[in-house]
Amino acid sequence: MIKRIALPALAALALAGCGPTGPANTVAADNADVEANAVGNEAAPGNALAAVLGMSDRQRNVVFIRALLDADIACQQVTSSERLPDQDGKPLWRVNCSDKAAYMIGITPDGTANIVSRSDR
């Protein structure tokens, strides 16, 4: 089964909880700076894939749990994720949940998460 979930604010969601917050306009500006600098200034603004590639494992796992939950896939916790060889030129990860279920997740530059599952969970 393949599910496609659009996560327009993918990087901002994962990074929003990483530190103290100030006024709303300051947080938005800070998040834009973090996303732009996530991979050494290689990320174009709005390039969710570049932001995900520049995240720590912990931050990336937060993005993956969000994608799974948005796809109505039961996963209590992402325990690990492993980068696999690119598929069709796109990055791919194996994501493991605490219930031992595993999913393949690919992220596109526009923030769409393509989730592949072996079951109809």
Side-chain angles (χ1 to χ4, degrees):
M1 169 176 56
I2 297 176
K3 292 191 178 193
R4 297 180 195 277
I5 303 297
L7 302 173
L10 194 65
L13 287 174
L15 297 175
C18 298
T21 60
N25 58 353
T26 303
V27 172
D30 290 345
N31 284 342
D33 290 341
V34 168
E35 182 178 341
N37 293 315
V39 290
N41 292 326
E42 295 173 14
N47 186 337
L49 173 57
V52 170
L53 289 170
M55 291 178 178
S56 68
D57 289 342
R58 183 176 179 201
Q59 291 170 322
R60 195 171 14 262
N61 289 346
V62 169
V63 169
F64 292 148
I65 187 72
R66 180 61 192 227
L68 291 166
L69 294 175
D70 285 351
D72 292 326
I73 295 173
C75 179
Q76 294 297 313
Q77 176 185 6
V78 171
T79 57
S80 65
S81 60
E82 174 186 358
R83 176 86 185 265
L84 301 175
D86 291 359
Q87 184 175 25
D88 298 326
K90 297 181 181 101
L92 184 68
W93 288 267
R94 177 182 298 119
V95 177
N96 300 301
C97 292
S98 57
D99 65 356
K100 307 297 183 210
Y103 303 93
M104 308 298 262
I105 299 180
I107 306 291
T108 63
D110 70 355
T112 301
N114 296 313
I115 303 169
V116 179
S117 168
R118 291 191 213 178
S119 66
D120 291 330
R121 286 181 176 235

